[in-house]
């Protein structure tokens, strides 16, 4: 993020000066935005950068305890430089938050420079990976930096202390956000597919109950409850992968447009990536834990790989935008789009369906038999109608408030649900679009069609309340959808292992005894256990000190 | 569990011999049931205990790798004895799984006895607490124990090798299960209230956005999205506490009946505790993680207390019965109850509502205004009708299968949903019953009534699909319920802090910087960070070895 920040917000000269140093690792940089007291609300940051016209410098300062930088990855122990975000103060006037390149440590001996207090913020969730990241804290005590270390692509401070807006539009910053969040969606599909791969393989190895006449027991993957918990996650892993690929395309498209000074699709693209970041990371975090539970007791062992995958993954729900805050942004965009529907302004991109509002507000789902729920157009219309009706209902309810901001606050829980419905529609429609393309490999397309239907119908079942209350689907149709879903599970079952093998993860990368490609789980679990340092001695270290006195009743000074 | 097992399954003499040793800690025992290959399916355990009439002993053996005992808490390093479950083999005949007291380690030097291989199973989820528990593995190589170390309350093996059923009914074992699971429900309410206390207090401390004219920002607890995520969890903490108290009563009641040889309520009590164990532990595990997310980035710090609370809590969803397996047992019980409805056999206890099947199958919810959703009878009837209709629908669908077991397997995902609806009804009805009693303290009852309505209406909203598809509630009525829920949140808000203070947890017990009673969060977070060992040195230990060579481009043998 140090490098993208300089790329996005630095001038040409700044990029030429700093990027090579960072690329060659002659300096190590971090992205220092969040403070102890401010994360989501970036505009509320308290660190100040005050221009001193006498010396042509900025004085960077942490005026309060809550203004201490807090969380930046790499800040605590490793970084020599930071892009620090601070309020720009010129001639007593506050010009809002901007980025400043600040050197933190000496390049000779790594000692913090004068005025800099820097350290690690301490232990985090999990026993491993994320704790090897030195998320840090940082305080500035009137630290002076040259004027040209303010990132000045958008706003400039001149030698004379004039604050000048450049002709580069502020919106460019959103381009960077689209980029970062798009990579987060790709990461979600990756983390999810790892967890699903482990749980699926182990579910085929694990047998429990159901032995007949002394034969082998049932593989737990054959239980319908296991399938109904696992296969939607498998389908989601594919769904997120496809929507991630599409987002990558969207980012390229937006970038090209920005270069041509076309900002028309930016708000939609921004809402779209924000919403998909929220949807995919929340779903993935939940799914990893569900996969762990699907592995029964053994999923709780570190050697299953799932605990650490969870611990390392979950902050994705919080960083780069808290998921609830992001959905509220999506909802705001949707309300704006709905309010403009009558005005002739055509909704674009992922909101294009809203232009068919008249139809979608009154259409009736045509599904009459279970097979009808396999038809892409039936499904798509149901999801479009649901999303639109939920947005329109919110907009109508908002209209009852005299103060729109008050209404938005009051109805925000409903608005989040409408935003979720919209984001789910995007994932569904991109999955369906993907299947309209040529897909190489014999039978692959058919498998993906099955997974697509699983993805769609499990969402429909999970959010049945939305579909029924908006009248998009009747109870009878919902029951048919559920019946179809059940029979799809039986179709996924024989290919489940192939579908996770297709992710092509090595055992080393998966890092899970339960998810081994060869299925040789039990001997390896047993082997792994003996590697634990606790097993180096037969009689445990604390025996003489703690256990023996208890057994021999020699607790002279017992404190019980 | 070592002690309850001996109490429940040991004869009088066995209890007299072993319990005092265990109470005085002259021996340390563990409960060794689960094996590498078998957890849920206890009847599938592979360890054998073969009677040797020549020496009047049992030979305990682990014939396969998968028969290794695996998971028992305290087994790895500390225990000297175990109640080990093994297949009783007498004269070549397999008499199923029974408990045997086996000494594992010498009482002199704690060395494992001949034929015993014992060790720790290795690292588990989390960085702290559960890893200090030595869940262990254990293999027997033809270990001989005297005949009187088989727990013989229910089944006896005589000197001559006769296998005799005692007159003590087998069902007694269910009594122990009711006991253990009832304590798990109480623990759920405790863990949940801790998490909710932390998240609620911090939500009142944390301010983000919404500053007007430079005034303070909005406390995040004032955001409706935060309330709609947090307050239902607060209400659940109270709900689980009350249902836990009721279960304690139920256990006493069952015990008294068992002593009077009345087994009539046992199946219902067993289903009830199994279902509530599943419902409360699943909800609590999810809720702890939601509370962590509600704390934003800082919830990810170990010092928030939430990561370790989660890591230590979650196995409750798996041990003492995997939650899905338990719900399937509840569903089986419900199907049996439904099938007997016509037969004159009256459903008892938590299924008593089913006797009003005729009414509940066709009743219509009377709610016409938002306030109607505060009426206990309106709510209760809606939940009863939903639960019953879901069970009846499953029973009807089961009837379409010629093989009932096949039908049960095929429909098991729906059956789990019906079981969940039934269990939620129990919690709802016990909350309502509690409020019909006298409750001391001015205004307390009114607060609890508000929480009860929050609990009920958030469930109704979350499972709207169930209520709508079964026709228990119309879309219009569901919308009214949601509106009522929103206004209840505003009523909870002013008392939210008092409602968590009422749990009466000390800061020490909570173990959370975010959840401090005095709200002094930021200075303490800052203080806490400096205690991390990483901060003992200003220049980190690895600087000369790892960081400097990178910065100084001295990577002679760079492997990049
Ligand atoms: C592992 C990790 C790595 C990180 N790395 C970096 C880094 O490298 N650099 C950096 O600068 N930062 C980093 N961060 C910080 C991260 O960006 C913030 O934690 C994140 O932006 C969330 O902000 P917050 O912590 O202030 O949450 P808060 O905003 O305090 O959230 C608390 C609660 O309030 C709610 N809430 C907040 N505002 C609103 C609103 N307007 N309406 C409704 N609800 C609201 C949220 O939904 C949440 O439930 C990292 C964080 C973590 C956990
Ligand atoms: C922290 C911890 C402490 C423990 N302490 C002890 C202890 O002290 N003593 C002891 O003996 N044991 C102990 N255990 C073991 C524990 O009791 C088992 O892990 C538990 O019973 C679950 O069984 P399992 O692991 O075999 O899960 P499995 O049965 O293998 O579950 C795997 C998956 O299969 C599914 N499944 C299984 N059967 C069915 C079915 N019939 N229908 C549908 N789905 C099914 C489950 O829902 C799950 O999703 C402990 C476990 C843990 C995690
Ligand atoms: Ca850990």
């Amino acid at each position: 993020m140090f490098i993208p920040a300089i790329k996005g917000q630095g001038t040409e000269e700044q990029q030429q000066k700093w990027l090579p140093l960072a690329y060659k690792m002659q300096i190590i940089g971090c992205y220092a935005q969040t403070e102890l007291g401010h994360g989501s609300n970036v505009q509320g940051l308290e660190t100040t950068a005050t221009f001193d016209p006498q010396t042509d410098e900025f004085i960077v300062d942490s005026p309060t305890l809550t203004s201490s930088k807090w969380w930046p990855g790499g800040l605590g122990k490793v970084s020599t430089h930071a892009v620090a975000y601070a309020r720009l103060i010129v001639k007593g006037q506050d010009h809002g938050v901007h980025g400043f390149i600040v050197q933190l440590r000496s390049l000779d001996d790594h000692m913090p420079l004068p005025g800099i207090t820097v350290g690690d913020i301490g232990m985090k969730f999990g026993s491993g990976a994320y704790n090897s990241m030195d998320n840090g804290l940082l305080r500035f005590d009137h630290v002076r930096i040259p004027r040209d270390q303010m990132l000045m692509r958008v706003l400039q401070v001149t030698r004379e202390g004039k604050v000048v807006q450049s002709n580069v539009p502020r919106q460019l910053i959103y381009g960077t956000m689209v980029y970062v969040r798009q990579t987060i969606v790709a990461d979600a599909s990756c983390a999810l597919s790892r967890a699903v791969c482990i749980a699926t393989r182990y579910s085929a190895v694990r047998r429990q109950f159901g032995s007949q006449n002394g034969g082998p027991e049932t593989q737990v993957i054959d239980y319908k409850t296991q399938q109904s918990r696992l296969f939607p996650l498998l389908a989601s892993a594919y769904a997120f992968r496809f929507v991630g690929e599409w987002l990558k395309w969207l980012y390229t498209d937006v970038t090209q447009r920005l270069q041509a000074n076309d900002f028309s699709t930016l708000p939609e693209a921004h809402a779209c990536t924000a919403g998909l970041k929220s949807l995919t990371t929340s779903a993935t975090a939940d799914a990893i834990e569900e996969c762990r539970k699907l592995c029964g007791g053994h999923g709780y062992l570190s050697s299953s790989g799932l605990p650490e995958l969870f611990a390392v993954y979950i902050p994705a729900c919080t960083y780069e935008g808290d998921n609830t805050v992001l959905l509220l942004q999506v909802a705001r965009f949707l309300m704006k789009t709905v309010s403009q529907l009558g005005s002739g302004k055509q909704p674009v991109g992922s909101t294009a369906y809203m232009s068919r509002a008249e139809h979608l507000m009154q259409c009736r789902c045509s599904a009459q038999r279970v097979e009808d729920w396999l038809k892409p157009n039936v499904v798509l219309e149901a999801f479009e109608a649901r999303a639109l009706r939920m947005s329109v209902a919110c907009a109508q309810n908002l209209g009852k408030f005299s103060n729109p901001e008050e209404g938005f606050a009051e109805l925000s829980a409903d608005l989040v649900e409408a935003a979720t419905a919209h984001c789910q529609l995007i994932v569904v429609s991109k999955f369906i679009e993907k299947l309209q393309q040529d897909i190489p490999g014999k039978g692959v397309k058919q498998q993906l069609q099955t997974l697509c239907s699983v993805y769609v119908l499990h969402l429909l079942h999970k959010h049945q309340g939305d579909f029924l209350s908006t009248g998009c689907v009747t109870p009878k149709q919902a029951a048919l959808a559920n019946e179809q879903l059940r029979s799809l599970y039986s179709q996924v079952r024989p290919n489940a292992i192939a579908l996770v093998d297709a992710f092509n993860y090595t055992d080393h990368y998966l890092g899970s005894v339960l998810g081994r490609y060869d299925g040789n789980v039990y001997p390896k679990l047993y082997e792994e256990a003996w590697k634990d340092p606790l097993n180096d001695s037969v009689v445990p270290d604390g025996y003489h000190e703690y256990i023996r006195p208890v057994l021999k009743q020699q607790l002279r000074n017992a404190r019980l």
Side-chain angles (χ1 to χ4, degrees), chain A:
Chain A
M1 288 293 293
F2 179 76
I3 293 173
I6 295 177
K7 272 188 176 170
Q9 294 149 48
T11 60
E12 286 290 332
E13 305 91 80
Q14 289 176 322
Q15 298 192 30
Q16 269 164 32
K17 170 167 179 193
W18 294 99
L19 291 180
L21 294 173
Y23 285 133
K24 287 193 223 146
M25 300 247 256
Q26 290 171 331
I27 62 174
I28 301 174
C30 68
Y31 183 85
Q33 179 175 297
T34 306
E35 298 173 355
L36 197 45
H38 285 95
S40 299
N41 182 15
V42 177
Q43 294 315 315
L45 293 177
E46 296 174 79
T47 304
T48 52
T50 308
F51 182 60
D52 179 352
Q54 305 220 295
T55 60
D56 198 23
E57 288 171 323
F58 290 107
I59 305 165
V60 184
D61 193 48
S62 311
T64 59
L65 177 73
T66 47
S67 72
S68 310
K69 293 293 172 191
W70 189 273
W71 273 119
L75 166 63
K77 295 283 144 182
V78 174
S79 290
T80 59
H81 289 67
V83 169
Y85 287 80
R87 317 198 73 79
L88 170 65
I89 313 282
V90 182
K91 295 181 189 158
Q93 209 191 323
D94 184 333
H95 293 270
V97 172
H98 299 273
F100 298 82
I101 299 175
V102 189
Q103 182 171 352
L104 307 176
R105 290 178 181 266
S106 153
L107 291 175
D108 292 329
D109 58 9
H110 212 57
M111 282 295 287
L113 297 184
I116 300 278
T117 305
V118 65
D120 190 277
I121 59 170
M123 286 288 289
K124 287 148 291 189
F125 206 138
S127 57
Y130 226 109
N131 283 303
S132 61
M133 164 68 91
D134 58 328
N135 295 89
L137 62 85
L138 169 63
R139 292 184 54 79
F140 301 103
D141 182 5
H142 298 90
V143 172
R144 291 180 167 266
I145 57 168
R147 181 170 53 90
D148 66 5
Q149 286 179 212
M150 168 177 163
L151 296 176
M152 296 215 202
R153 187 163 177 205
V154 173
L155 195 82
Q156 283 145 23
V157 176
T158 65
R159 177 66 193 92
E160 300 75 34
K162 275 214 187 107
V163 179
V164 190
Q165 193 87 33
S166 79
N167 54 4
V168 178
R170 282 195 83 95
Q171 288 103 314
L172 272 188
I173 296 172
Y174 289 103
T176 314
M177 279 179 159
V178 170
Y179 171 74
V180 173
R181 290 180 183 156
Q182 160 258 315
T183 66
I184 293 181
V185 172
D187 291 348
S189 118
C190 184
L192 176 52
S193 56
R194 280 173 70 173
V196 164
C197 181
I198 295 168
T200 304
R201 287 183 179 163
Y202 179 65
S203 293
V205 170
R206 184 71 172 171
R207 293 171 178 273
Q208 207 75 191
F209 296 103
S211 154
Q212 258 134 21
N213 318 321
E217 295 168 283
T218 307
Q219 293 166 284
V220 298
I221 199 173
D222 284 328
Y223 291 115
K224 274 273 136 73
T225 46
Q226 193 84 353
Q227 296 178 0
S228 72
R229 294 159 68 200
L230 180 59
F231 292 167
L233 307 182
L234 172 60
S236 303
Y238 277 90
F240 294 175
R241 182 165 179 144
F242 297 141
V243 83
E245 287 171 2
W246 171 75
L247 269 187
K248 196 178 260 174
W249 169 85
L250 185 74
Y251 172 66
T252 325
D253 181 65
V254 165
T255 312
Q256 284 169 356
R257 285 173 193 266
L258 289 183
Q259 277 158 1
N261 266 315
D262 168 7
F263 300 98
S264 63
T265 64
L266 192 58
E268 189 270 327
H270 178 253
C272 194
T273 26
L276 290 172
K277 182 272 180 185
S278 176
L279 181 145
T280 57
T281 55
S282 287
T284 297
D286 291 349
I288 297 170
E289 173 61 4
E290 183 70 2
C291 285
R292 195 193 60 72
K293 293 203 182 97
L294 284 162
C295 295
H298 301 343
Y300 191 65
L301 286 169
S302 298
S303 59
S304 77
L306 293 165
E308 208 46 34
L309 187 56
F310 182 78
V312 171
Y313 188 74
I314 47 172
C317 298
T318 306
Y319 59 52
E320 296 304 327
D322 168 272
N323 280 354
T324 301
V325 173
L326 291 179
L327 287 176
L328 287 168
Q329 290 173 10
V330 175
R332 212 170 266 283
F333 174 73
L334 291 175
M335 290 308 100
K336 196 169 165 190
T337 309
V338 170
S339 74
Q340 293 172 339
L341 278 182
S343 75
K345 189 162 190 280
Q346 281 299 312
V348 294
S350 65
T351 51
Y353 70 99
M354 291 192 162
S355 66
R356 287 176 288 117
E358 216 164 324
H359 170 69
L360 292 174
M361 286 305 289
Q362 44 77 30
C363 65
R364 285 160 173 281
C365 174
S366 64
Q368 294 186 334
R369 293 159 312 157
V370 284
E371 314 86 73
D372 291 339
W373 279 115
L374 300 175
K375 296 180 183 162
N377 56 334
V378 170
V379 163
L380 206 53
E381 190 175 86
F383 273 77
E384 287 177 344
R386 165 207 181 210
L388 182 76
R389 292 181 196 186
M390 288 176 75
S391 277
V392 168
C394 283
Q396 283 168 346
N397 287 334
L398 279 178
K400 295 177 194 157
F401 288 80
S402 53
N403 177 339
E405 277 311 304
E406 216 171 81
F408 194 89
E410 184 63 23
L411 300 176
S412 57
D414 296 345
L415 284 158
V416 162
E417 290 180 6
T420 303
H422 171 73
C423 296
Q424 288 175 348
L425 165 64
I426 301 176
V427 183
V428 165
S429 64
K430 294 306 153 194
F431 207 149
I432 290 176
E433 275 175 25
K434 172 83 188 177
L435 295 175
Q436 284 157 354
Q437 301 163 20
D438 266 351
I439 292 172
K442 187 161 165 279
V444 173
K445 188 171 197 159
Q446 201 196 324
Q447 286 306 315
L448 292 179
Q449 268 159 347
T450 305
L451 283 185
C452 180
S453 294
V454 166
Y455 183 72
V456 165
L457 296 181
H458 109 274
L459 278 185
L460 195 144
H461 184 66
K462 189 169 162 197
H463 298 274
Q464 219 184 94
D466 290 355
F467 288 90
L468 295 175
S469 65
T470 52
C472 295
V473 158
T474 66
K476 174 93 188 87
Q477 290 171 324
L480 291 173
N482 205 29
E483 211 175 304
Q484 177 60 72
L485 181 57
R486 206 157 54 223
S487 86
L488 287 167
Y489 291 149
S490 309
Q491 290 171 44
V492 172
R493 169 64 188 94
N495 302 294
I497 299 298
L499 284 164
V500 300
D501 285 351
F503 298 136
N504 215 3
Y505 293 136
T506 62
D507 280 343
H508 178 77
Y509 178 77
L510 270 188
S512 167
V513 177
L514 303 187
R516 289 172 62 91
Y517 181 73
D518 66 6
N520 193 25
V521 169
Y522 296 123
K524 292 294 171 182
L525 269 179
Y526 194 80
E527 221 178 282
E528 204 59 36
W530 287 109
K531 291 187 194 153
D532 194 280
L534 261 185
N535 289 328
D536 288 350
S537 57
V538 181
V539 173
D541 285 350
Y543 170 67
H544 286 281
E545 199 171 349
Y546 302 110
I547 303 177
R548 191 177 164 86
V550 171
L551 291 168
K552 299 294 172 195
Q553 317 291 310
Q554 291 165 337
L555 291 171
R556 305 242 170 84
N557 303 313
R559 300 221 189 112
L560 306 169

